[in-house]
Amino acid sequence: LTDGEVDSLFNKASRHKTLILDLRDNGGGSEEVLKAMLGHLFDHEVKIGDRVTRKEKDNKPLVAKPRGHQFTGKLIVLVNSRSASCSELFARVVQLEKRGTVLGDRSAGMVMGSRVFSKNSGFDIVSPYAVQVTVEDLIMTDGRSLEHNPVVPDEILLPKATDLASGRDPVLAHAAEVAGVKLSEEKAGTFFPYIWRKL
């Protein structure tokens, strides 16, 4: 998402009492989107964590500043074992700042920052290649890294195999119930249908 798209979505959300943010199967994204999303949830600067890099001079805090339309209502965040990187950082900040409730499964525990280094090999025939290298970790405000230490939801909820096979979503249905809305598991399953992946 661009900053403008994030602003537009939270502008819509700010007119409602409750927001269910479904980050299940979300592999993360850019730090800028993470900061923009958190900026719409707090009316003050929020420290996400401290960068720990290979070069000490590059160790700087990652901070989200307030922006645009603030969503001040009830927040429910859904995560699962495929929620990684910025999506789990978002969920953990919500927990640490006591801003909302996190429901679902433990997150992936994969938050290390990396960089891609592009290279070329050869003279007459040049073969391009790239190497992705881990360059930083992020220490949250509780003094811990989420790398191999996944976000543990406030309430663990796991769909059963039969739920997935029949298209039911008990996790989203429960989140709606927490929000004060009656939503059947069958109807919840039509919003973000589970896609079976080939092994």
Side-chain angles (χ1 to χ4, degrees), residues 6-78:
V6 172
D7 293 343
S8 175
L9 290 170
F10 275 93
N11 181 22
K12 291 175 186 173
S14 68
R15 299 193 288 266
H16 298 276
K17 293 180 180 178
T18 305
L19 172 63
I20 298 173
L21 190 56
D22 193 342
L23 297 178
R24 293 175 294 176
D25 287 7
N26 184 302
S30 77
E31 284 182 2
E32 295 310 311
V33 172
L34 169 66
K35 291 191 290 186
M37 289 177 64
L38 288 171
H40 284 288
L41 295 176
F42 298 94
D43 61 1
H44 58 278
E45 200 171 271
V46 172
K47 182 177 177 182
I48 300 167
D50 290 306
R51 287 187 177 95
V52 178
T53 66
R54 296 170 188 269
K55 296 179 182 176
E56 202 168 309
K57 67 179 179 65
D58 294 333
N59 293 355
K60 296 174 185 172
L62 184 61
V63 175
K65 296 181 179 178
R67 61 185 290 144
H69 297 276
Q70 296 287 310
F71 174 73
T72 57
K74 187 174 190 176
L75 176 66
I76 301 167
V77 181
L78 307 183

Side-chain angles (χ1 to χ4, degrees), residues 3 12 24 26 38 41 44 47 79 91 117 145-146 148 154 161 171 194:
D3 279 4
K12 291 175 186 173
R24 293 175 294 176
N26 184 302
L38 288 171
L41 295 176
H44 58 278
K47 182 177 177 182
V79 295
F117 297 90
S145 166
L146 290 180
H148 303 301
D154 301 306
V171 180
Y194 183 82

